[in-house]
Amino acid sequence: MTSTPYRKPFFVSYLSRALPLVALLLALPVHAQEAEVPAVVPKPVKLMTLSSEPVTLQRQFFGQVTARQTVDLAFQVGGQLEVLNADEGTSMEVGALIAQLDLAVYERAVAQAKANFDKAQRDADRLASLRGQAVSDVSVRDAQTQLQLAQIALDNAQADLGDASLRAPFDALVARRLVPNYQTVSAGTPVVRLHDVSELRVDIQVPEVLFRQAGAGDNVAFEAALPGDATRYPMELREFEAETSNVGQTFNITMAFTESPGAFVFPGASVTVYASAEGKVPDGIILPETALVFDPAGAAAVMVFAEGTVRQTPVEIELHEDGRLYMTEGPEEGTQIVVTGASQLSDGQPVRPFTRIGE
């Protein structure tokens, strides 16, 4: 009789294989088996401080540095350039020679005009001495006319000789050479561009509404900030265009630095202009509509910020004739509340003050 081999029961075989895995799981730390609870991230919010003091209104504009004036110098006569003393980025004192044409042709013209004038002078003197004898009065007057024409021709030749040289009309900064040296130029062709940087200015575009408000009072202060420079430089209003631009209904306003903004600030540099003005003293604490939260019964409240959380606090409000909401009862002055998005917060929710984008 053949004997049947002994086989372990299935559950015994399975248990013998599973025991090492169970022992490994039991050996793991307890905290590894527990589910991690996500941390609550405070929501960034914009805050305002309750106050009945006058609010400083501030606006920010972007503009460019400009020179007091910019001119393109050109000869009033034509010829070949012989001198071009205009290295870009250099300063030139008033009266300094910047460019000059070949003067030989103009010097010859002056010499010829001078010779013609001398001859006309001799002829006029000779005929005047013979008047009443062999020379008529008409001949004398004709000689005097020729003398006058010779004088005009001499003056024109000397003026052309002077126009063959260009000199700095003011203490200037050479911005750009517009033609190369030794090139033949015609009258009126720009040769060099000069900036008058005796006073640096800034042009900004101001909307019509703000322009009227600024013109209504003299308590508007202007400051300028340059890229990479934390200093704010005071500015003064110099002039404005008395008509709006074709697009945007804005006025072009020109400001001037009252003190030097430092070296290497040239026309074309970008600048930010801050305009600030003291507002009127309010009749109480003004609340923006975005700071209000209403319950189903219509009662108003604000979200008060304290110690990293917000608490919903009831307030009493009134709508005045100026269209603003004034708080008659509620938190005291100096309390910080959420100014925008208060309706999206819940009582006791962790928040943090919003400072800038990206934080």
Side-chain angles (χ1 to χ4, degrees):
M1 180 176 181
T2 304
S3 61
T4 303
Y6 173 75
R7 295 181 178 178
K8 294 181 180 180
F10 173 76
F11 75 92
V12 175
S13 175
Y14 175 79
L15 182 62
S16 63
R17 293 195 301 270
L19 282 176
L21 179 61
V22 174
L24 179 61
L25 292 176
L26 292 176
L28 290 175
V30 175
H31 63 78
Q33 302 177 36
E34 297 177 353
E36 295 185 359
V37 178
V40 178
V41 179
K43 184 176 181 179
V45 293
K46 288 186 177 182
L47 303 176
M48 67 169 286
T49 302
L50 296 179
S51 175
S52 59
E53 297 296 324
V55 179
T56 299
L57 305 176
Q58 189 174 81
R59 294 293 184 270
Q60 180 176 326
F61 306 95
F62 299 97
Q64 283 188 324
V65 175
T66 62
R68 185 172 188 175
Q69 59 179 327
T70 299
V71 296
D72 290 345
L73 289 188
F75 291 102
Q76 300 302 305
V77 294
Q80 183 183 23
L81 269 175
E82 191 175 66
V83 176
L84 185 57
N85 182 25
D87 294 333
E88 295 177 349
T90 59
S91 299
M92 309 288 291
E93 294 183 354
V94 57
L97 180 65
I98 294 179
Q100 191 173 75
L101 300 176
D102 183 3
L103 300 182
V105 61
Y106 295 104
E107 290 172 345
R108 291 194 298 268
V110 170
Q112 181 180 359
K114 183 66 169 60
N116 291 335
F117 174 79
D118 292 340
K119 180 180 181 301
Q121 181 71 64
R122 292 193 302 269
D123 291 343
D125 292 344
R126 179 175 57 83
L127 294 176
S129 64
L130 299 175
R131 174 182 292 180
Q133 301 176 10
V135 178
S136 65
D137 290 343
V138 174
S139 298
V140 174
R141 288 197 297 270
D142 288 345
Q144 292 174 346
T145 300
Q146 291 301 318
L147 177 61
Q148 293 173 353
L149 293 176
Q151 180 66 61
I152 294 173
L154 178 59
D155 292 342
N156 289 338
Q158 291 174 337
D160 290 345
L161 178 61
D163 290 339
S165 299
L166 288 181
R167 299 185 180 274
F170 43 74
D171 291 337
L173 174 68
V174 179
R176 185 181 303 173
R177 290 188 305 273
L178 303 177
V179 297
N181 200 8
Y182 306 114
Q183 178 172 316
T184 300
V185 296
S186 58
T189 300
V191 174
V192 63
R193 179 168 299 165
L194 302 180
H195 290 316
D196 180 0
V197 291
S198 58
E199 183 180 69
L200 289 178
R201 299 183 173 185
V202 175
D203 288 337
I204 59 175
Q205 297 291 327
V206 178
E208 180 181 1
V209 174
L210 297 180
F211 178 79
R212 291 202 308 268
Q213 292 176 351
D218 56 358
N219 61 339
V220 182
F222 297 94
E223 293 180 317
L226 299 167
D229 188 352
T231 305
R232 290 196 178 184
Y233 299 94
M235 307 193 76
E236 291 181 351
L237 177 65
R238 282 291 180 265
E239 58 185 8
F240 59 87
E241 293 183 358
E243 60 182 6
T244 61
S245 62
N246 294 330
V247 179
Q249 283 296 109
T250 59
F251 286 91
N252 186 77
I253 293 181
T254 301
M255 316 296 300
F257 287 93
T258 58
E259 61 184 51
S260 173
F264 296 99
V265 178
F266 300 118
S270 59
V271 63
T272 303
V273 176
Y274 298 92
S276 57
E278 289 291 334
K280 297 180 179 179
V281 178
D283 297 332
I285 297 178
I286 301 174
L287 294 178
E289 295 181 8
T290 54
L292 296 175
V293 179
F294 296 92
D295 62 14
V302 294
M303 288 295 187
V304 174
F305 172 79
E307 299 180 354
T309 60
V310 289
R311 295 295 178 186
Q312 185 169 329
T313 304
V315 294
E316 295 290 335
I317 57 175
E318 287 183 356
L319 179 63
H320 286 203
E321 294 181 355
D322 58 5
R324 300 182 185 183
L325 294 172
Y326 288 79
M327 184 180 71
T328 57
E329 292 185 14
E332 60 183 9
E333 288 193 40
T335 303
Q336 287 187 307
I337 66 170
V338 178
V339 67
T340 58
S343 60
Q344 305 300 318
L345 302 175
S346 58
D347 193 22
Q349 180 176 347
V351 297
R352 63 179 177 86
F354 172 84
T355 55
R356 62 181 181 182
I357 297 175
E359 279 196 354

